Amino acid sequence: MFPEIIRVLLQRECDGVHPVHPVHPVLHLFGGPFVSLDGSRIEIPEGSKRLLAFVALRSGRVPRSYAAGTLWPGGGDSRAAGNLRSALWRLNKVGLELLDVDKYSLTLHERVLVDLHLVVAWAARVANEQPSIEDLHALPSTPDSLDLLPGWYEDWALLERERFRQRLLHALETQSRGLTLHGHHAEAIDAALLVVSADPLRESAQLALVQAHLGENNWMEARRCHDAYAETLRRELDTEPGREFSALLSAHLQMRRSPHNRSPRPRSTAVR
Protein backbone atom coordinates (compact mmCIF):
# COMPACT_ATOMS: atom_id res chain seq x y z
CA MET A 1 0.00 0.00 0.00
CA PHE A 2 2.90 2.35 0.64
CA PRO A 3 6.66 2.25 -0.10
CA GLU A 4 8.78 -0.34 1.68
CA ILE A 5 11.05 2.33 3.15
CA ILE A 6 8.01 3.86 4.87
CA ARG A 7 7.08 0.46 6.28
CA VAL A 8 10.62 -0.01 7.63
CA LEU A 9 10.70 3.44 9.23
CA LEU A 10 7.24 2.99 10.73
CA GLN A 11 8.29 -0.30 12.29
CA ARG A 12 11.33 1.44 13.79
CA GLU A 13 9.21 4.32 15.10
CA CYS A 14 6.61 2.01 16.61
CA ASP A 15 9.01 -0.67 17.86
CA GLY A 16 7.51 -2.26 20.93
CA VAL A 17 4.06 -0.81 20.23
CA HIS A 18 2.98 -3.09 17.39
CA PRO A 19 5.36 -5.35 15.46
CA VAL A 20 3.83 -4.79 12.02
CA HIS A 21 1.22 -2.01 11.88
CA PRO A 22 1.34 1.07 14.12
CA VAL A 23 -1.70 1.89 16.27
CA HIS A 24 -1.11 5.59 15.62
CA PRO A 25 -2.80 7.16 12.60
CA VAL A 26 -0.25 7.73 9.84
CA LEU A 27 -0.64 10.60 7.41
CA HIS A 28 0.83 9.68 4.03
CA LEU A 29 1.94 12.61 1.90
CA PHE A 30 3.84 10.43 -0.58
CA GLY A 31 1.34 9.44 -3.23
CA GLY A 32 -1.38 10.98 -1.05
CA PRO A 33 -2.59 12.44 1.09
CA PHE A 34 -4.40 9.62 2.82
CA VAL A 35 -4.36 8.11 6.31
CA SER A 36 -3.59 4.56 7.38
CA LEU A 37 -4.54 3.02 10.71
CA ASP A 38 -3.55 -0.49 11.75
CA GLY A 39 -2.72 -1.30 8.13
CA SER A 40 -6.03 -0.06 6.70
CA ARG A 41 -6.25 2.87 4.29
CA ILE A 42 -8.63 5.69 5.15
CA GLU A 43 -9.45 8.30 2.52
CA ILE A 44 -9.52 12.01 3.33
CA PRO A 45 -12.38 14.16 1.94
CA GLU A 46 -11.27 16.16 -1.09
CA GLY A 47 -12.16 19.45 0.56
CA SER A 48 -9.88 18.70 3.52
CA LYS A 49 -6.77 17.21 1.87
CA ARG A 50 -4.96 20.48 1.27
CA LEU A 51 -5.68 21.75 4.76
CA LEU A 52 -4.34 18.58 6.38
CA ALA A 53 -1.22 18.52 4.18
CA PHE A 54 -0.57 22.24 4.66
CA VAL A 55 -0.66 21.94 8.45
CA ALA A 56 1.48 18.77 8.42
CA LEU A 57 4.19 20.55 6.45
CA ARG A 58 4.44 23.33 9.05
CA SER A 59 6.28 23.07 12.36
CA GLY A 60 4.26 24.19 15.35
CA ARG A 61 0.84 25.77 15.39
CA VAL A 62 -0.52 27.46 12.28
CA PRO A 63 -2.71 30.58 12.66
CA ARG A 64 -6.17 29.94 11.24
CA SER A 65 -6.08 33.19 9.28
CA TYR A 66 -2.76 32.25 7.67
CA ALA A 67 -3.98 28.78 6.66
CA ALA A 68 -7.25 30.14 5.28
CA GLY A 69 -5.60 32.98 3.36
CA THR A 70 -2.96 30.70 1.80
CA LEU A 71 -5.29 27.88 0.82
CA TRP A 72 -8.21 30.02 -0.34
CA PRO A 73 -6.66 33.29 -1.51
CA GLY A 74 -9.58 34.47 -3.66
CA GLY A 75 -12.83 35.90 -2.31
CA GLY A 76 -11.71 37.78 0.79
CA ASP A 77 -11.00 36.87 4.41
CA SER A 78 -14.60 36.05 5.32
CA ARG A 79 -15.00 33.53 2.52
CA ALA A 80 -11.59 31.98 3.25
CA ALA A 81 -12.55 31.56 6.92
CA GLY A 82 -15.79 29.89 5.84
CA ASN A 83 -13.89 27.48 3.58
CA LEU A 84 -11.59 26.63 6.49
CA ARG A 85 -14.55 25.84 8.75
CA SER A 86 -16.07 23.67 6.02
CA ALA A 87 -12.80 21.76 5.52
CA LEU A 88 -12.52 21.16 9.28
CA TRP A 89 -16.11 19.91 9.43
CA ARG A 90 -15.48 17.44 6.60
CA LEU A 91 -12.26 16.27 8.26
CA ASN A 92 -14.12 15.55 11.49
CA LYS A 93 -16.40 13.19 9.56
CA VAL A 94 -13.41 10.85 9.11
CA GLY A 95 -13.74 9.89 12.77
CA LEU A 96 -10.08 10.33 13.70
CA GLU A 97 -8.37 13.06 15.70
CA LEU A 98 -6.01 14.36 13.03
CA LEU A 99 -5.86 18.06 13.89
CA ASP A 100 -5.74 19.88 17.21
CA VAL A 101 -7.84 23.00 16.69
CA ASP A 102 -8.59 26.01 18.87
CA LYS A 103 -10.13 29.42 18.21
CA TYR A 104 -6.95 30.93 16.79
CA SER A 105 -4.75 28.15 15.42
CA LEU A 106 -4.42 24.52 14.44
CA THR A 107 -1.72 21.89 14.43
CA LEU A 108 -1.34 18.19 13.76
CA HIS A 109 -2.56 16.00 16.61
CA GLU A 110 0.32 14.68 18.69
CA ARG A 111 -0.60 11.03 17.99
CA VAL A 112 -0.46 11.41 14.22
CA LEU A 113 2.70 10.20 12.47
CA VAL A 114 3.65 11.67 9.09
CA ASP A 115 5.56 9.61 6.53
CA LEU A 116 7.43 12.72 5.35
CA HIS A 117 8.69 13.46 8.86
CA LEU A 118 9.99 9.89 9.18
CA VAL A 119 11.87 10.05 5.88
CA VAL A 120 13.28 13.51 6.63
CA ALA A 121 14.57 12.23 9.98
CA TRP A 122 16.09 9.20 8.21
CA ALA A 123 17.71 11.46 5.62
CA ALA A 124 19.18 13.65 8.37
CA ARG A 125 20.72 10.63 10.13
CA VAL A 126 22.20 9.35 6.88
CA ALA A 127 23.42 12.76 5.70
CA ASN A 128 25.11 13.34 9.08
CA GLU A 129 26.78 9.94 8.71
CA GLN A 130 25.11 8.62 11.87
CA PRO A 131 22.81 5.94 10.43
CA SER A 132 21.83 2.75 12.15
CA ILE A 133 22.18 -0.56 10.31
CA GLU A 134 18.48 -0.32 9.42
CA ASP A 135 18.96 3.22 8.12
CA LEU A 136 21.91 2.22 5.99
CA HIS A 137 19.98 -0.52 4.23
CA ALA A 138 16.65 1.33 3.88
CA LEU A 139 16.20 2.30 0.22
CA PRO A 140 13.30 3.66 -1.81
CA SER A 141 12.33 1.21 -4.53
CA THR A 142 12.19 3.98 -7.16
CA PRO A 143 12.52 7.79 -7.07
CA ASP A 144 8.78 8.07 -7.80
CA SER A 145 7.92 6.04 -4.69
CA LEU A 146 8.69 9.15 -2.63
CA ASP A 147 6.79 11.63 -4.79
CA LEU A 148 5.55 14.29 -2.38
CA LEU A 149 1.98 15.42 -3.04
CA PRO A 150 2.00 14.45 -6.72
CA GLY A 151 -0.06 16.66 -9.01
CA TRP A 152 -0.14 19.62 -6.63
CA TYR A 153 1.18 22.86 -8.14
CA GLU A 154 0.52 25.49 -5.48
CA ASP A 155 3.63 27.49 -4.59
CA TRP A 156 3.79 26.13 -1.03
CA ALA A 157 3.56 22.51 -2.27
CA LEU A 158 6.18 23.02 -5.00
CA LEU A 159 8.60 24.59 -2.50
CA GLU A 160 8.26 21.71 -0.04
CA ARG A 161 8.58 19.15 -2.84
CA GLU A 162 11.85 20.64 -4.08
CA ARG A 163 13.25 21.06 -0.57
CA PHE A 164 12.52 17.41 0.22
CA ARG A 165 13.92 16.30 -3.13
CA GLN A 166 17.28 17.91 -2.41
CA ARG A 167 17.42 16.39 1.09
CA LEU A 168 16.63 12.95 -0.30
CA LEU A 169 19.20 13.08 -3.09
CA HIS A 170 21.92 14.25 -0.71
CA ALA A 171 21.05 11.48 1.76
CA LEU A 172 21.10 8.79 -0.94
CA GLU A 173 24.54 9.92 -2.10
CA THR A 174 25.86 9.74 1.45
CA GLN A 175 24.16 6.38 1.91
CA SER A 176 25.82 5.05 -1.25
CA ARG A 177 29.26 6.10 0.00
CA GLY A 178 28.57 4.54 3.41
CA LEU A 179 27.46 1.26 1.84
CA THR A 180 30.59 1.24 -0.33
CA LEU A 181 32.73 1.80 2.76
CA HIS A 182 31.09 -1.19 4.48
CA GLY A 183 31.47 -3.42 1.43
CA HIS A 184 27.78 -3.51 0.44
CA HIS A 185 28.49 -2.64 -3.17
CA ALA A 186 25.26 -3.80 -4.82
CA GLU A 187 23.15 -1.65 -2.49
CA ALA A 188 25.61 1.23 -2.89
CA ILE A 189 25.13 1.07 -6.65
CA ASP A 190 21.35 0.96 -6.22
CA ALA A 191 21.39 4.06 -3.99
CA ALA A 192 23.59 6.00 -6.42
CA LEU A 193 21.49 4.93 -9.41
CA LEU A 194 18.36 6.27 -7.71
CA VAL A 195 19.96 9.71 -7.62
CA VAL A 196 21.38 9.46 -11.13
CA SER A 197 17.99 8.48 -12.54
CA ALA A 198 16.40 11.48 -10.81
CA ASP A 199 19.15 13.91 -11.88
CA PRO A 200 21.54 12.54 -14.56
CA LEU A 201 23.71 15.69 -14.50
CA ARG A 202 24.31 15.61 -10.75
CA GLU A 203 28.06 15.03 -10.61
CA SER A 204 28.20 14.12 -6.92
CA ALA A 205 25.82 11.23 -7.64
CA GLN A 206 27.84 10.09 -10.63
CA LEU A 207 30.94 10.18 -8.43
CA ALA A 208 29.24 8.00 -5.80
CA LEU A 209 28.23 5.54 -8.52
CA VAL A 210 31.78 5.27 -9.88
CA GLN A 211 33.12 4.85 -6.32
CA ALA A 212 30.68 1.99 -5.73
CA HIS A 213 31.81 0.19 -8.89
CA LEU A 214 35.48 0.72 -8.04
CA GLY A 215 34.87 -0.59 -4.52
CA GLU A 216 33.77 -3.85 -6.13
CA ASN A 217 36.78 -3.73 -8.50
CA ASN A 218 34.48 -3.44 -11.48
CA TRP A 219 36.73 -0.86 -13.08
CA MET A 220 35.36 -1.42 -16.59
CA GLU A 221 31.85 -0.62 -15.36
CA ALA A 222 33.23 2.42 -13.56
CA ARG A 223 34.91 3.53 -16.80
CA ARG A 224 31.67 3.04 -18.72
CA CYS A 225 29.76 5.23 -16.22
CA HIS A 226 32.51 7.84 -16.33
CA ASP A 227 32.52 8.01 -20.13
CA ALA A 228 28.73 8.07 -20.41
CA TYR A 229 28.51 10.95 -17.95
CA ALA A 230 31.30 12.86 -19.71
CA GLU A 231 29.51 12.46 -23.03
CA THR A 232 26.22 13.65 -21.52
CA LEU A 233 27.94 16.74 -20.10
CA ARG A 234 29.49 17.59 -23.45
CA ARG A 235 26.19 17.13 -25.25
CA GLU A 236 23.95 18.95 -22.76
CA LEU A 237 26.22 21.63 -21.26
CA ASP A 238 29.29 21.70 -23.53
CA THR A 239 31.60 21.13 -20.57
CA GLU A 240 33.77 18.43 -18.99
CA PRO A 241 33.53 16.56 -15.68
CA GLY A 242 35.24 18.11 -12.66
CA ARG A 243 38.82 17.29 -11.80
CA GLU A 244 37.91 15.11 -8.81
CA PHE A 245 35.58 12.98 -10.92
CA SER A 246 38.14 12.21 -13.62
CA ALA A 247 41.05 11.90 -11.16
CA LEU A 248 39.23 9.17 -9.21
CA LEU A 249 39.22 6.75 -12.12
CA SER A 250 42.76 7.65 -13.20
CA ALA A 251 44.12 7.10 -9.69
CA HIS A 252 42.42 3.71 -9.44
CA LEU A 253 43.76 2.55 -12.81
CA GLN A 254 47.26 3.80 -11.94
CA MET A 255 47.14 1.86 -8.69
CA ARG A 256 46.17 -1.30 -10.57
CA ARG A 257 49.15 -0.84 -12.89
CA SER A 258 51.56 -0.28 -10.00
CA PRO A 259 54.29 -2.99 -9.76
CA HIS A 260 53.52 -3.34 -6.03
CA ASN A 261 50.06 -4.61 -6.87
CA ARG A 262 51.17 -7.21 -9.39
CA SER A 263 51.49 -10.82 -8.36
CA PRO A 264 55.08 -12.10 -8.63
CA ARG A 265 55.70 -14.37 -11.56
CA PRO A 266 56.41 -17.95 -10.54
CA ARG A 267 60.00 -19.02 -11.06
CA SER A 268 60.63 -21.59 -13.76
CA THR A 269 61.43 -25.05 -12.44
CA ALA A 270 62.46 -26.46 -15.81
CA VAL A 271 65.75 -28.37 -15.82
CA ARG A 272 68.24 -27.13 -18.39
Side-chain angles (χ1 to χ4, degrees):
M1 183 173 65
F2 35 84
E4 182 63 25
I5 186 173
I6 303 299
R7 193 182 306 276
V8 170
L9 295 176
L10 282 173
Q11 288 179 354
R12 171 188 173 129
E13 183 72 15
C14 302
D15 188 29
V17 177
H18 195 293
V20 178
H21 299 302
V23 295
H24 296 277
V26 181
L27 173 59
H28 298 264
L29 299 181
F30 298 117
F34 64 93
V35 173
S36 66
L37 180 65
D38 197 22
S40 299
R41 175 169 175 145
I42 302 171
E43 298 297 339
I44 302 298
E46 285 298 325
S48 304
K49 285 183 176 180
R50 276 169 170 73
L51 174 61
L52 187 57
F54 183 80
V55 173
L57 290 172
R58 299 294 180 278
S59 58
R61 301 196 71 86
V62 180
R64 292 176 67 122
S65 58
Y66 175 63
T70 302
L71 296 172
W72 297 280
D77 294 345
S78 178
R79 184 170 182 177
N83 287 332
L84 175 61
R85 289 192 297 271
S86 178
L88 288 170
W89 180 80
R90 290 189 179 93
L91 193 59
N92 286 334
K93 302 287 283 183
V94 173
L96 296 173
E97 289 186 297
L98 300 174
L99 292 181
D100 182 9
V101 182
D102 61 30
K103 186 177 180 180
Y104 302 102
S105 63
L106 30 81
T107 189
L108 208 62
H109 195 279
E110 62 180 1
R111 285 178 52 81
V112 177
L113 299 175
V114 183
D115 61 355
L116 173 66
H117 297 171
L118 297 176
V119 177
V120 167
W122 165 82
R125 293 191 298 269
V126 172
N128 292 330
E129 300 183 359
Q130 296 177 331
S132 65
I133 295 298
E134 294 81 5
D135 288 335
L136 198 61
H137 292 279
L139 274 174
S141 54
T142 66
D144 292 341
S145 66
L146 295 181
D147 190 9
L148 180 63
L149 300 175
W152 291 23
Y153 300 105
E154 291 88 342
D155 289 344
W156 59 270
L158 291 172
L159 178 63
E160 293 298 333
R161 187 180 301 144
E162 181 58 23
R163 179 159 60 179
F164 169 72
R165 177 178 175 274
Q166 292 300 327
R167 285 181 178 179
L168 178 62
L169 296 184
H170 180 68
L172 286 170
E173 289 173 5
T174 308
Q175 183 183 32
S176 177
R177 291 192 293 269
L179 287 165
T180 297
L181 187 64
H182 287 82
H184 303 289
H185 301 108
E187 289 175 287
I189 292 169
D190 285 344
L193 283 174
L194 284 170
V195 188
V196 168
S197 63
D199 189 351
L201 296 179
R202 190 180 177 99
E203 187 157 310
S204 52
Q206 296 281 356
L207 182 62
L209 178 59
V210 170
Q211 287 172 328
H213 283 304
L214 291 178
E216 204 171 19
N217 286 322
N218 287 333
W219 62 274
M220 283 297 293
E221 192 66 26
R223 179 61 180 268
R224 187 190 66 80
C225 292
H226 172 278
D227 293 349
Y229 174 60
E231 176 59 29
T232 301
L233 272 186
R234 296 187 196 103
R235 183 177 65 251
E236 299 293 335
L237 300 177
D238 192 24
T239 188
E240 297 291 333
R243 182 178 301 176
E244 181 185 2
F245 185 78
S246 297
L248 174 67
L249 189 60
S250 299
H252 183 82
L253 293 177
Q254 186 176 3
M255 183 181 66
R256 287 180 61 89
R257 298 188 186 109
S258 172
H260 299 290
N261 292 325
R262 295 177 183 171
S263 300
R265 295 181 178 178
R267 293 182 179 180
S268 175
T269 57
V271 179
R272 296 186 179 180

